[in-house]
Amino acid sequence: MMNKFLAIIFLVLSTVPAIAQDEQSVGKAIDDLTFRWDNESIPLNSYEGLMKFCNDVEYRNDIIKLLNDIHHYDSVLYQRLVKASHYSHDKEIEKTLEEIKSFEKEYSMKKFLHFLSEECHDEKDIEKHAEELKNDIGMNSYDGQIYIIETELNKYIKHITKRMDNIRDHVDHLHIK
């Protein structure tokens, strides 16, 4: 009986460093992804950045991979926090879960990629009719169409950046590094 008890204790204690190491990697991955997103979102937030996304396959694939990585770690964190919430009623865990739910509901990566796809279609249409649009005025002009696209891009990118920063802050408070 005592040997079984010691074996169970040994098993539990030997998994603690692995769990802690895994938590460290999730927290670090989220920090790294937030940093990468902050760097990539700046050029992507402009019409020129959208044009690069639409026309440069390598850049587009890099952004899509980054967004998929963000979604993956967001999901991993969410699953861990759901498990943790069963054992603890920490307000920080609840806030983070709500933040992730809101992030996925309102501005999911799938919705953002769909939005970018639509904007690429609009960008191609604008460039195809650029000469005509340059003679137009107001919202129908070339500059007006670019302004509309940049405004929508800004809204999405700001929201994703804010959510990433909030999730990272919650993770830091939960000591998942």
Side-chain angles (χ1 to χ4, degrees), residues 36-67:
R36 284 177 46 211
W37 172 253
D38 287 345
N39 287 330
E40 292 297 338
S41 67
I42 293 167
L44 189 59
N45 204 25
S46 68
Y47 186 70
E48 291 79 20
L50 176 67
M51 287 176 67
K52 183 176 180 181
F53 176 85
C54 297
N55 299 307
D56 182 337
V57 175
E58 187 176 331
Y59 179 70
R60 181 173 51 248
N61 288 338
D62 288 346
I63 295 295
I64 290 171
K65 182 176 178 346
L66 173 60
L67 293 171

Side-chain angles (χ1 to χ4, degrees), residues 117-174:
S117 174
E118 288 178 352
E119 295 304 300
C120 284
H121 176 73
D122 291 347
E123 178 267 336
K124 285 182 187 358
D125 195 49
I126 289 170
E127 293 306 315
K128 180 179 177 182
H129 298 100
E131 288 304 313
E132 299 166 36
L133 293 171
K134 287 182 181 177
N135 294 325
D136 231 329
I137 57 171
M139 286 179 37
N140 294 326
S141 71
Y142 182 81
D143 291 337
Q145 293 294 307
I146 289 173
Y147 178 76
I148 292 168
I149 285 177
E150 286 183 335
T151 301
E152 289 300 311
L153 269 171
N154 188 302
K155 188 186 321 177
Y156 255 98
I157 289 173
K158 255 186 174 175
H159 193 78
I160 291 172
T161 301
K162 179 182 174 198
R163 294 293 183 204
M164 289 291 299
D165 291 342
N166 286 344
I167 290 168
R168 188 194 64 227
D169 289 345
H170 290 306
V171 168
D172 288 345
H173 287 119
L174 292 168

